[in-house]
Amino acid sequence: MAYTCPDDEDRADEVGMGQMKRVIAVANQKGGVGKTTTAVNLAASFAAMHRRVLLIDMDPQGNATTGCGIEKSALTRGVLEVLLGECAAIDAVLTANGDTETALAVLPANQDLTAAEVRLLLMNEGRELRLRLALQPIRENYDLVIIDCPPSLNMLTVNALVAADSVLIPMQCEYYALEGLSALVATIEQIRDAANPGLTIEGILRTMYDPRNNLASEVAAQLIAHFDDKVFRTIVPRNVRLAEAPSFGRPALLHDRDSRGALAYLALAGEMLRREDEARELSSPS
């Protein structure tokens, strides 16, 4: 039995297995905002809800890879080889932590991925399309593809945004995060105009939230004022279990399923499913 919380267990049964069918890039040009934590734990949460999920690590640091229990130094194939056309994506996919309980698939990466960025920059054309084209043969194998982006705007991030249907933006509720958010929104608009007209903002997720901090509350209020329903109601709190789970090579859901961090990401997955249901109802003819 996969791990679920009571509210989301019902949601998993109600929503069809093939409903999501989206590629979501988890991106923020500012580092240290919980981007990789969000990518790994959201992917694990959807997998626990019986979705077929692929997590793609596009960061040369390889933190999403190690956070799923995969030894990045031992990789023989990964995102690097896929982007350079040296192997098919399906041949580089591994199973997270050898865990059949969530059956989370991972397209891993390590520091060698830095070479891909250099090689991509030397290409005359089509360099921003490499990931998108590589995913085409396997995209229908998954209900959801989640891409963990590097904490910078480089050719790897551009490839992720061109391949994605939407962008999920994790951010801390602090002043500098607001400035970074404006820059990221501008980048998304540029990618939309230049290469991916269907790219949308999936939502803004408040992470590492401490309600005792007055500034955090003020920034959260500003976010809602400016972005309205694009701000997820789910808030990810600061949580020790969430922070220590990567050192055990597993998502928080498998490290401590009752921790506040694990429950927050299950709640986020449930909220995303509800949003999708609501959007479908609004678009269907009455």
Side-chain angles (χ1 to χ4, degrees), residues 27-190:
N28 194 321
Q29 290 159 272
K30 188 177 186 302
V33 297
K35 177 181 53 59
T36 297
T37 297
T38 294
V40 169
N41 287 286
L42 182 61
S45 295
F46 274 112
M49 290 178 173
H50 314 294
R51 266 56 184 186
R52 298 167 297 172
V53 184
L54 172 64
L55 174 64
I56 301 177
D57 190 349
M58 285 290 283
D59 189 344
Q61 295 179 85
N63 290 336
T65 298
T66 55
C68 291
I70 296 169
E71 181 52 63
K72 62 184 178 183
S73 62
L75 292 180
T76 56
R77 290 177 293 196
V79 175
L80 169 65
E81 289 74 19
V82 171
L83 289 176
L84 298 181
E86 296 174 3
C87 80
I90 193 170
D91 296 325
V93 171
L94 302 174
T95 302
N97 206 32
D99 175 43
T100 57
E101 194 161 344
T102 58
L104 173 60
V106 181
L107 186 53
N110 58 23
Q111 62 186 8
D112 294 342
L113 185 55
T114 304
E117 183 183 2
V118 176
R119 301 259 300 266
L120 288 171
L121 287 171
L122 296 175
M123 293 181 181
N124 291 326
E125 57 183 41
R127 56 191 179 187
E128 74 280 359
L129 299 172
R130 302 295 292 184
L131 182 62
R132 184 175 184 172
L133 294 174
L135 287 179
Q136 283 181 353
I138 65 168
R139 180 165 171 167
E140 289 303 309
N141 296 348
Y142 301 98
D143 299 309
L144 191 64
V145 178
I146 295 178
I147 308 173
D148 182 31
C149 298
S152 60
L153 180 59
N154 55 26
M155 190 49 61
L156 297 173
T157 304
V158 169
N159 261 266
L161 296 179
V162 171
D165 298 309
S166 61
V167 185
L168 192 157
I169 306 171
M171 64 170 288
Q172 286 182 266
C173 290
E174 57 182 32
Y175 175 74
Y176 290 121
L178 285 175
E179 289 189 337
L181 179 60
S182 299
L184 180 58
V185 170
T187 298
I188 292 170
E189 291 173 353
Q190 291 171 359

Side-chain angles (χ1 to χ4, degrees), residues 4-17 19 46 49-51 266-267 269-278 280-281:
T4 55
C5 64
D7 291 340
D8 290 319
E9 189 168 6
D10 295 337
R11 298 298 310 153
D13 293 334
E14 289 173 18
V15 182
M17 283 288 289
Q19 295 293 351
F46 274 112
M49 290 178 173
H50 314 294
R51 266 56 184 186
L266 277 170
E271 182 176 353
M272 291 171 69
L273 291 176
R274 286 191 296 275
R275 284 187 174 197
E276 178 144 315
D277 274 358
E278 291 165 2
R280 190 179 304 111
E281 290 171 5

